[in-house]
């Protein structure tokens, strides 16, 4: 789109215009606040698992987005980016039949029993943030 | 609609500026905090994928290394080459995926489109639907690129948004906002700053910031 004059900032009169919650273009929003953080190791792992499993054909980027969009605005407001991603990647892997809900539940119980922190439970050799 | 909570409330996380990551950002504290449900899900998912033979620990590490090795410095090299080499610039504007591959960057199957800033036109990129970003040339997107305020507002009041980034555009400059999709993404080629006629590609690339390739800043002027 082209913009030559955007002095007005009027919100849409209605949001019952057929758009879904994630379709945010042109809606209201607060001020832009620059954030400057790198991602945690667990978040990079979620991203890496998405890249690996989608590259190997277990699901597509459309499947990833379908789950993210179906989570609805509440998830967008209350969960972090990679929290939403882990849910979506996991859901797509369940649907592809790589592992079952039963296997996931058993594994999560096993992981939780290992300790209190991510470092303990992920069984990473050290408590550092990098893998090298 | 409520505002994005991430946006306003995660700046009070204390961090030291010692021990910056490879990309120059402070690390988020994660390993020593109590395990969250979602972190548990990541561990479980990863271990199941390894047990099932879908991936290996090594492959996950390698993939993260690849992600970490990408940074805006890659995009800056492409921009500097375009400023110096008219033939490359023509190839870049015709097919940014192919021109970037020519410089050794892995673009995958992505359709990448370069949009060029001139004296009359200023381009800025967004993904209103999610967070699509030219990662292959810029690395991870900044948090604000993925959040509501930027996605919602930049397509409607781009000048006001750019002003918040400290970029004031003259009224006679046309602003073009490009909305990305998963398969088709944009990179802004900022205008070459004045007074750079004698700089080589390496020196020019140092003037090209991440934000200038998103379109929320200009390329820096030489010292």
């Amino acid at each position: 789109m082209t913009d030559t004059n955007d002095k007005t900032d009027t919100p849409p009169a209605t949001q019952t215009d057929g758009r879904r919650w994630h379709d945010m273009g042109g809606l209201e929003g607060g001020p832009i606040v620059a954030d400057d953080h790198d991602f945690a190791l667990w978040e990079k792992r979620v991203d890496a698992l998405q890249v690996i499993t989608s590259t190997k054909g277990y699901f597509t980027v459309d499947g990833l987005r379908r789950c993210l969009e179906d989570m609805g605005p509440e998830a967008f407001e209350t969960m972090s980016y990679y929290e939403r991603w882990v849910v979506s990647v996991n859901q797509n892997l369940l649907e592809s039949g790589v592992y079952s809900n039963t296997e996931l539940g058993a594994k999560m119980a096993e992981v939780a029993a290992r300790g209190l922190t991510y470092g303990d439970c992920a069984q990473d050799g050290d408590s550092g943030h990098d893998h090298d | 609609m409520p505002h994005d909570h991430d946006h306003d409330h995660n700046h009070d996380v204390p961090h030291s500026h010692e021990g910056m990551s490879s990309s120059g950002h402070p690390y988020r504290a994660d390993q020593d905090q109590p395990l969250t449900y979602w972190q548990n899900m990541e561990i479980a998912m990863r271990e199941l994928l390894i047990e099932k033979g879908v991936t290996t620990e090594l492959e996950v590490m390698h993939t993260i290394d690849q992600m970490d090795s990408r940074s805006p410095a890659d995009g800056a090299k492409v921009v500097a080459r375009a400023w110096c080499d008219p033939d490359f610039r023509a190839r870049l504007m015709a097919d940014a995926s192919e021109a970037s591959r020519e410089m050794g960057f892995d673009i995958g199957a992505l359709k990448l489109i370069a949009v060029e800033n001139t004296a009359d036109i200023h381009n800025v990129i967004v993904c209103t639907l999610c967070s699509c970003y030219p990662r292959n040339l810029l690395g991870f997107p900044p948090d604000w690129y993925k959040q509501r305020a930027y996605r919602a507002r930049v397509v409607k009041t781009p000048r006001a948004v750019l002003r918040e980034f400290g970029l004031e555009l003259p009224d006679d400059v046309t602003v073009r906002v490009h909305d990305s999709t998963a398969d088709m993404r944009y990179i802004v080629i900022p205008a070459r700053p004045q007074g750079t006629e004698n700089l080589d590609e390496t020196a020019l690339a140092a003037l090209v910031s991440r934000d200038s390739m998103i379109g929320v800043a200009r390329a820096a002027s030489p010292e």
Side-chain angles (χ1 to χ4, degrees):
Chain A
M1 62 178 278
T2 295
D3 164 75
T4 50
N5 183 351
D6 58 30
K7 292 189 172 61
T8 59
D9 194 359
T10 314
T14 172
Q15 290 187 6
T16 58
D17 56 359
R19 71 164 82 203
R20 292 191 71 198
W21 69 272
H22 64 279
D23 189 0
M24 295 180 186
L27 300 181
E28 284 183 277
I32 316 287
V33 182
D35 199 345
D36 190 30
H37 283 89
D38 201 354
F39 294 107
L41 177 55
W42 83 271
E43 295 176 300
K44 291 185 178 185
R45 281 171 164 164
V46 172
D47 199 304
L49 292 172
Q50 184 272 324
V51 169
I52 290 166
T53 52
S54 63
T55 302
K56 293 184 179 184
Y58 291 93
F59 60 94
T60 65
V61 68
D62 305 298
L64 180 75
R65 286 197 44 198
R66 171 179 55 80
C67 282
L68 292 169
E69 291 162 13
D70 286 351
M71 277 177 223
E74 298 79 12
F76 186 79
E77 303 294 345
T78 58
M79 295 168 71
S80 74
Y81 187 74
Y82 282 107
E83 285 175 350
R84 285 176 271 132
W85 267 47
V86 76
V87 171
S88 178
V89 175
N90 176 62
Q91 180 61 31
N92 276 277
L93 290 172
L94 285 170
E95 290 174 16
S96 76
V98 179
Y99 52 77
S100 70
N101 254 320
T102 309
E103 288 173 304
L104 178 71
K107 180 60 84 177
M108 286 182 71
E110 180 197 322
V111 170
R114 291 175 190 161
L116 294 176
T117 67
Y118 181 82
D120 293 341
C121 298
Q123 297 183 324
D124 292 317
D126 56 43
S127 60
H129 298 268
D130 229 332
H131 48 270
D132 54 9
Chain B
M1 300 285 267
H3 63 273
D4 190 318
H5 286 268
D6 273 344
H7 211 125
D8 288 321
H9 299 302
N10 65 0
H11 291 272
D12 53 1
V13 177
H15 61 259
S16 150
H17 285 269
E18 294 169 14
M20 294 293 195
S21 77
S22 55
S23 54
H25 297 135
Y27 282 113
R28 283 186 170 142
D30 61 323
Q31 301 275 74
D32 300 330
Q33 304 296 314
L35 181 75
T36 69
Y37 182 81
W38 310 115
Q39 290 173 338
N40 185 339
M41 185 176 278
E42 179 276 312
I43 298 169
M45 185 167 81
R46 177 162 43 90
E47 292 187 4
L48 285 169
L49 288 170
I50 292 167
E51 286 168 21
K52 302 281 183 182
V54 172
T55 187
T56 62
E57 198 69 64
L58 202 64
E59 188 176 38
V60 177
M61 283 170 53
H62 177 68
T63 305
I64 293 174
D65 280 342
Q66 272 188 322
M67 294 188 311
D68 280 343
S69 72
R70 291 175 182 160
S71 78
D74 297 343
K77 286 178 189 162
V78 173
V79 171
R81 176 72 53 88
W83 285 347
C84 294
D85 179 344
D87 292 336
F88 178 78
R89 179 192 159 277
R91 293 197 295 280
L92 182 71
M93 298 312 294
D95 183 343
S97 304
E98 202 48 49
S100 302
R101 285 189 198 108
E102 185 188 310
M103 289 187 68
F105 297 114
D106 172 20
I107 304 299
L110 196 63
K111 180 169 174 56
L112 186 66
I113 298 173
V115 289
E116 192 178 40
N117 289 347
T118 66
D120 306 316
I121 294 169
H122 184 90
N123 296 282
V124 58
I125 63 173
V126 64
C127 176
T128 60
L129 293 175
C130 44
S131 56
C132 300
Y133 184 75
R135 285 176 167 225
N136 301 60
L137 289 181
L138 301 187
F140 288 108
D143 287 350
W144 54 259
Y145 187 86
K146 304 185 288 189
Q147 291 170 347
R148 168 182 296 278
Y150 183 74
R151 290 166 50 188
R153 293 176 51 218
V154 75
V155 291
K156 192 171 184 189
T157 57
R159 286 167 201 274
V161 169
L162 294 176
R163 215 170 286 129
E164 284 173 47
F165 284 95
L167 179 57
E168 186 81 44
L169 293 172
D171 285 345
D172 59 352
V173 170
T174 299
V175 179
R176 290 186 179 154
V177 184
H178 302 270
D179 197 353
S180 317
T181 70
D183 306 316
M184 193 180 78
R185 307 185 186 197
Y186 298 91
I187 183 169
V188 175
I189 308 302
R192 180 170 176 165
Q194 294 187 332
T196 57
E197 295 75 14
N198 298 321
L199 298 185
D200 64 13
E201 259 185 60
T202 307
L204 286 169
L207 304 176
V208 183
S209 66
R210 176 194 72 195
D211 286 1
S212 75
M213 293 179 279
I214 299 174
V216 299
R218 292 187 176 95
S221 292
E223 300 275 308

